[in-house]
Amino acid sequence: MKSYEEMSKEELYEIKEGLEKEYAKYKGMGLSLNMARGKPSAAQLDLSMPMLDVLGSDSDMVASDGADCRNYGGLDGIPEAKQLIADMVGSKPENVIVYGNASLNIMYDAVSRSFTHGVMGNTPWCKLDKVKFLCPVPGYDRHFAITEFFGVEMVPVPMTENGPDMDMVESLVNSDETVKGIWCVPKYSNPQGIVYSDETVRRFAALKPAAADFRIYWDNAYAVHHLYDEDQAEILDIISECEKAGNPDMVYEFCSTSKISFSGAGIAGLVTSQANIKDILKQMTVQTIGHDKVNQLRHVRFFKDKAGIMAHMKKHADIMRPKFEMVENTLEQELGGLGIGSWLCPKGGYFISFEAMEGCAKNIVAKAKEAGVTMTPAGAPFPYGNDPKDSVIRIAPSLPEADELEMATKIFVVCVKLASIEKIVDNK
Amino acid sequence: MKSYEEMSKEELYEIKEGLEKEYAKYKGMGLSLNMARGKPSAAQLDLSMPMLDVLGSDSDMVASDGADCRNYGGLDGIPEAKQLIADMVGSKPENVIVYGNASLNIMYDAVSRSFTHGVMGNTPWCKLDKVKFLCPVPGYDRHFAITEFFGVEMVPVPMTENGPDMDMVESLVNSDETVKGIWCVPKYSNPQGIVYSDETVRRFAALKPAAADFRIYWDNAYAVHHLYDEDQAEILDIISECEKAGNPDMVYEFCSTSKISFSGAGIAGLVTSQANIKDILKQMTVQTIGHDKVNQLRHVRFFKDKAGIMAHMKKHADIMRPKFEMVENTLEQELGGLGIGSWLCPKGGYFISFEAMEGCAKNIVAKAKEAGVTMTPAGAPFPYGNDPKDSVIRIAPSLPEADELEMATKIFVVCVKLASIEKIVDNK
């Protein structure tokens, strides 16, 4: 098979003609499809509907520590919810604070608190001239939105197949005291689905930061979000690795049940050292009287334990896997060998990252939009929305139903082909 | 009846001897009673248990705007929850953002956001040398804790029977641009149970603040928390009063269902102008993907409307009223005419504020503690915990069961008498 680059202008024009007809047909269909956000589908949300039955008017509402879950109090969460969160990410309950329905809010709070009050007695960041965060790219747009909102200077660090480029991370973190954090999605990274290797985790744990208040923002969003039962990625527990390396306080780990139970009504957790917890509780005790313990209890009574969560996640995987495979198969069938794009086939998480020819991503996303398919904006996986190569597009296969996803993917590959031909012909 | 001041030392010593015997008896009982916090009792929480039945595995989870309440999204809340919150405080749904389980967190966020990002384009407070808040006293300790945490200079303003001393408020707000806010509990104030008069509300609305980013922090915590069916206080709607006075953006109003449904698992709301909402959503869109809409739906399906809330609040009142009356009757019987304390009999809210003789509050609270009765710390209703007269004690009658409350109140009045005699004898 010839790649597009190897073809003559004439060959490309002929292909283009056919593609344009197909594209026009799709446009005429007045579609409205969405592959933009990592939202679970209705079928996935249905899996957790029985959770709404576990607490009723005749339920015992008392937590294992004797707390009435309906009343005020319990700043750091009920013990059994701490245990569940800890088990989910492979940590210990004494390292957990249970929050409300969103881990994003915990991350925002962590950055905000660092700005207003500083980290463990260090200067509040609002008093500093410059604060930098390292941003492995491509990465998660909502992470970057938080640091951008606070005026943090974001420094892109390339991803490798084993995680962020650790030579670069070490060099920057260990030498520059304005580097206060790094955003990480260590398992099934957003958007590539990359799993940090043991060596990567150990190198993180062994950092010697120039800044005493440097923290790794470890967003373990997809800790149990496997697609394949027989091929489940495990990563080292960053908390204990940091302890071993003499950096016990260097990590804030975040997780939630948003993509396990209900996206809008789950429970979220911060996992970190007890010294960090003590520091953070000073803020929390002013900020709130406690998060929703009834929902914590509901989650614990429904899932019971890690095994319960894993059994539930198998059901999610059974819905998600065919969608991922459909997208991957279509990409392979339609684009394989054409030399106009590459992608990884992740074993978990919520995204497929597509790398188009340089300078084509915005054009592809615009073309898809015109044909009724909403993609994540090109550039979104980069700080300030700036993809220097204009090539990365995040595909989110979870929300659409199978037939919609199939249609959206077909349209997407047509847009990729069209944009690629336009670029190649321009350069010939 | 002779007041204690009018008695001779000998008379007082004789009374004291009897009191000390009584006090010793109580101490010997090894009691553990709590009148410290405004927590609802188990009987009150039981009232909302049927709320746990309204959503189940077979429920329709779609909000009136078509949103699936289980999924992400809906930053400002589902329409029917906005309506419920608006009705509760007498405002309009377009003025409402629905948050998570705690209005305290909304207040914290408002102050924190003002520090990091400023109010509507004004200089972030973290860049200012000085930020002041006015604090009507006695007031709510958790309000003062927020502003203290951020290093805000708190300026006490005395309460009158119609609300804060408005001459002082006007003079300070209208002249000093470092005054950025004032903490208010306008209905059944914490701890006195005072209701702001119409004139007070109108004078608030007519303020001409020196600071463009001055906001009234209007914590309408007890909007529907009446004790007497036939004597329900109403206050003017501050939002529309401010509009009329040409100050549409001057108020953040806060409320929640914490003392309506479940204290730890209610829904909370911010009520404010649409311009403020627009400003705040810029932050919220970075901070979260949305609050718990399932719980919003649960509340709306359970209460249905304002009438549903009012019917529910009558049941709360039936539990709370006898407790308030018992405390008030005991105070009157035991302390009436002795000239050693005064108190108001509120028509709603959660507290009775007791004003002891100057210099006696700490001693009374310490004596109560020694006899097994935990009161709110003396000084708590004042900024920095500093009651200049050492006289105000907040009584929270809600949590204990009737017999416990009776015992606790009996012990309390003995402690008041003892501390007062000690003081009077010292001065004679």
Side-chain angles (χ1 to χ4, degrees):
Chain A
M1 183 181 228
K2 258 191 193 169
S3 77
Y4 276 10
E5 288 277 12
E6 293 164 333
M7 292 180 190
S8 67
K9 272 200 178 187
E10 290 65 34
E11 286 175 292
L12 290 170
Y13 280 131
E14 199 187 317
I15 294 173
K16 194 172 175 223
E17 208 178 274
L19 290 168
E20 274 168 351
K21 275 185 197 151
E22 199 179 346
Y23 183 65
K25 186 191 73 185
Y26 290 137
K27 275 212 291 192
M29 292 167 74
L31 297 167
S32 175
L33 306 170
N34 196 310
M35 296 202 291
R37 302 301 319 175
K39 282 180 158 185
S41 63
Q44 287 177 268
L45 297 167
D46 286 344
L47 297 174
S48 298
M49 287 302 284
M51 198 173 77
L52 297 175
D53 298 329
V54 299
L55 294 183
S57 53
D58 56 353
S59 291
D60 169 23
M61 301 296 285
V62 178
S64 61
D65 61 354
D68 186 333
C69 289
R70 305 168 302 179
N71 218 325
Y72 291 117
L75 201 53
D76 54 353
I78 62 175
E80 50 268 60
K82 287 190 201 177
Q83 183 73 57
L84 190 71
I85 295 275
D87 289 347
M88 206 166 85
V89 299
S91 187
K92 288 169 289 184
E94 59 265 36
N95 292 117
V96 174
I97 300 177
V98 190
Y99 281 74
N101 75 320
S103 59
L104 193 71
N105 210 329
I106 314 178
M107 298 178 222
Y108 179 97
D109 272 5
V111 172
S112 184
R113 181 183 57 244
S114 302
F115 266 87
T116 56
H117 290 83
V119 176
M120 270 194 195
N122 289 283
T123 307
W125 297 352
C126 69
K127 304 288 183 202
L128 301 178
D129 290 331
K130 191 182 274 297
V131 172
K132 292 183 197 160
F133 259 57
L134 306 189
C135 298
V137 289
Y140 180 33
D141 55 354
R142 287 189 181 272
H143 288 162
F144 305 155
I146 291 174
T147 27
E148 183 172 2
F149 187 65
F150 282 89
V152 170
E153 183 181 323
M154 295 184 278
V155 181
V157 173
M159 285 289 286
T160 74
E161 61 183 8
N162 293 311
D165 177 337
M166 290 308 295
D167 290 343
M168 193 170 165
V169 169
E170 285 164 354
S171 149
L172 290 165
V173 171
N174 296 356
S175 69
D176 184 349
E177 71 169 356
T178 69
V179 173
K180 302 297 190 189
I182 179 169
W183 289 116
C184 294
V185 182
K187 193 193 271 192
Y188 306 133
S189 71
N190 179 349
Q192 293 167 301
I194 285 171
V195 179
Y196 288 18
S197 69
D198 290 356
E199 194 201 335
T200 297
V201 177
R202 290 205 181 97
R203 286 178 73 177
F204 264 112
L207 286 169
K208 298 289 167 228
D213 51 357
F214 170 83
R215 294 290 182 272
I216 302 166
Y217 284 62
W218 196 257
D219 184 3
N220 205 348
Y222 308 109
V224 293
H225 303 59
H226 311 287
L227 289 172
Y228 299 94
D229 207 29
E230 66 286 2
D231 194 1
Q232 304 192 340
E234 288 304 331
I235 54 170
L236 290 176
D237 172 33
I238 184 74
I239 310 275
S240 50
E241 290 303 318
C242 281
E243 273 171 22
K244 280 188 244 169
N247 284 320
D249 304 324
M250 199 170 57
V251 184
Y252 297 147
E253 180 172 8
F254 310 94
C255 65
S256 81
T257 68
S258 293
K259 291 183 178 87
I260 300 174
S261 58
F262 297 132
S263 309
I267 60 173
L270 172 69
V271 191
T272 191
S273 71
Q274 292 186 55
N276 279 328
I277 286 180
K278 197 178 152 197
D279 189 46
I280 291 164
L281 285 178
K282 279 186 222 157
Q283 174 213 14
M284 277 186 76
T285 195
V286 173
Q287 182 184 36
T288 181
I289 313 183
H291 292 290
D292 184 340
K293 297 184 299 300
V294 170
N295 206 30
Q296 292 174 27
L297 192 67
R298 184 181 287 117
H299 275 72
V300 172
R301 296 258 172 98
F302 181 60
F303 289 117
K304 295 189 174 65
D305 52 22
K306 171 101 187 262
I309 287 188
M310 296 316 290
H312 191 78
M313 292 313 291
K314 264 186 85 165
K315 298 179 199 167
H316 277 285
D318 290 342
I319 297 171
M320 291 282 275
R321 196 173 45 248
K323 295 186 177 182
F324 273 73
E325 290 178 346
M326 199 276 288
V327 173
E328 288 159 4
N329 290 339
T330 304
L331 293 176
E332 184 55 39
Q333 281 162 25
E334 295 293 326
L335 303 178
L338 297 184
I340 58 171
S342 62
W343 58 93
L344 299 171
C345 295
K347 301 290 168 54
Y350 262 67
F351 303 103
I352 296 167
S353 184
F354 183 81
E355 196 164 343
M357 294 180 74
E358 202 167 325
C360 287
K362 278 189 189 142
N363 192 11
I364 294 168
V365 170
K367 281 187 195 303
K369 183 87 205 164
E370 219 184 309
V373 178
T374 304
M375 310 289 304
T376 311
F382 292 79
Y384 313 107
N386 177 28
D387 175 0
K389 291 189 186 168
D390 184 28
S391 71
V392 174
I393 300 171
R394 187 181 79 164
I395 301 173
S398 56
L399 186 63
E401 296 305 313
D403 55 337
E404 291 181 342
L405 181 68
E406 194 172 354
M407 177 64 81
T409 311
K410 274 186 191 163
I411 295 171
F412 174 73
V413 295
V414 167
C415 299
V416 171
K417 288 176 181 174
L418 274 172
S420 305
I421 291 177
E422 284 170 15
K423 161 147 182 147
I424 294 167
V425 168
D426 260 8
N427 288 349
K428 271 196 194 272
Chain B
M1 184 182 229
K2 254 190 195 170
S3 77
Y4 275 12
E5 289 276 14
E6 295 165 332
M7 293 182 190
S8 66
K9 273 201 177 185
E10 290 63 36
E11 285 174 293
L12 289 170
Y13 280 132
E14 197 185 319
I15 294 173
K16 193 168 176 234
E17 205 177 278
L19 289 167
E20 274 168 350
K21 273 186 199 151
E22 199 179 347
Y23 182 67
K25 184 191 75 185
Y26 292 136
K27 277 211 292 189
M29 290 166 77
L31 297 167
S32 175
L33 306 170
N34 195 312
M35 295 202 292
R37 302 301 318 175
K39 283 180 156 186
S41 62
Q44 288 176 267
L45 297 167
D46 286 345
L47 297 174
S48 298
M49 286 303 283
M51 198 172 76
L52 297 175
D53 297 330
V54 299
L55 294 183
S57 52
D58 55 354
S59 291
D60 168 23
M61 301 295 285
V62 178
S64 61
D65 60 354
D68 186 333
C69 289
R70 305 168 303 177
N71 218 326
Y72 290 118
L75 200 54
D76 53 355
I78 62 175
E80 51 268 60
K82 286 189 200 177
Q83 183 73 56
L84 190 71
I85 295 276
D87 290 348
M88 206 166 87
V89 300
S91 187
K92 289 170 289 185
E94 59 266 34
N95 292 118
V96 175
I97 300 177
V98 190
Y99 280 73
N101 75 321
S103 58
L104 192 72
N105 209 328
I106 314 178
M107 299 178 220
Y108 179 96
D109 272 5
V111 172
S112 184
R113 182 182 55 245
S114 302
F115 266 87
T116 56
H117 290 82
V119 176
M120 274 195 192
N122 290 283
T123 307
W125 297 351
C126 70
K127 306 288 184 200
L128 302 176
D129 289 333
K130 192 182 274 296
V131 172
K132 291 183 195 160
F133 259 57
L134 307 188
C135 298
V137 289
Y140 180 32
D141 54 355
R142 287 188 181 271
H143 288 162
F144 305 153
I146 291 175
T147 27
E148 182 172 3
F149 187 64
F150 282 89
V152 170
E153 183 180 321
M154 294 184 279
V155 182
V157 173
M159 284 289 286
T160 75
E161 61 183 8
N162 293 310
D165 177 336
M166 289 309 294
D167 290 341
M168 192 169 166
V169 170
E170 285 165 354
S171 147
L172 289 166
V173 171
N174 297 355
S175 69
D176 183 350
E177 70 169 356
T178 69
V179 173
K180 302 297 189 187
I182 179 169
W183 289 117
C184 294
V185 181
K187 192 192 272 190
Y188 306 132
S189 71
N190 179 349
Q192 291 167 299
I194 284 172
V195 179
Y196 288 18
S197 70
D198 290 356
E199 192 201 337
T200 296
V201 178
R202 290 205 181 95
R203 287 178 72 177
F204 264 113
L207 286 170
K208 299 288 169 228
D213 51 356
F214 170 84
R215 294 290 181 272
I216 302 166
Y217 284 64
W218 195 257
D219 185 2
N220 205 347
Y222 308 108
V224 292
H225 303 60
H226 312 287
L227 289 172
Y228 298 93
D229 207 28
E230 66 287 359
D231 194 1
Q232 303 191 341
E234 288 306 329
I235 53 169
L236 290 176
D237 172 32
I238 184 75
I239 310 275
S240 51
E241 290 302 320
C242 281
E243 273 171 24
K244 279 189 244 169
N247 284 320
D249 305 323
M250 200 170 58
V251 184
Y252 297 147
E253 180 172 10
F254 311 93
C255 67
S256 80
T257 68
S258 293
K259 290 184 178 89
I260 300 174
S261 58
F262 296 132
S263 310
I267 60 173
L270 173 69
V271 191
T272 190
S273 72
Q274 292 186 54
N276 279 329
I277 285 181
K278 199 177 150 197
D279 188 47
I280 291 165
L281 286 179
K282 280 186 222 156
Q283 175 213 15
M284 275 185 77
T285 194
V286 173
Q287 184 185 35
T288 180
I289 312 182
H291 293 290
D292 185 340
K293 296 185 299 301
V294 170
N295 205 31
Q296 291 175 28
L297 191 67
R298 185 180 288 119
H299 275 73
V300 172
R301 295 257 173 98
F302 181 61
F303 289 117
K304 293 187 177 64
D305 52 21
K306 170 102 187 261
I309 287 186
M310 296 316 290
H312 191 79
M313 291 313 291
K314 263 185 84 165
K315 298 180 199 167
H316 278 286
D318 289 342
I319 297 171
M320 291 281 277
R321 196 173 45 247
K323 294 185 177 182
F324 273 74
E325 290 177 346
M326 199 276 287
V327 173
E328 288 158 5
N329 291 339
T330 304
L331 293 176
E332 184 55 41
Q333 283 162 23
E334 296 293 326
L335 303 179
L338 297 184
I340 58 172
S342 62
W343 59 93
L344 299 171
C345 295
K347 301 290 167 57
Y350 263 67
F351 303 102
I352 295 167
S353 184
F354 183 82
E355 196 164 343
M357 294 181 74
E358 201 167 326
C360 286
K362 277 190 191 143
N363 192 11
I364 293 167
V365 170
K367 281 188 194 303
K369 183 85 204 163
E370 219 183 307
V373 178
T374 304
M375 311 290 302
T376 311
F382 292 79
Y384 314 106
N386 176 26
D387 175 359
K389 291 189 185 166
D390 184 28
S391 71
V392 175
I393 299 171
R394 187 180 80 164
I395 300 173
S398 56
L399 187 63
E401 295 306 314
D403 55 337
E404 290 180 343
L405 182 67
E406 193 173 353
M407 176 63 81
T409 311
K410 274 186 192 164
I411 295 172
F412 174 74
V413 295
V414 168
C415 297
V416 171
K417 289 177 181 174
L418 275 171
S420 305
I421 292 177
E422 284 171 16
K423 162 149 180 145
I424 294 166
V425 167
D426 260 8
N427 288 348
K428 270 196 196 271

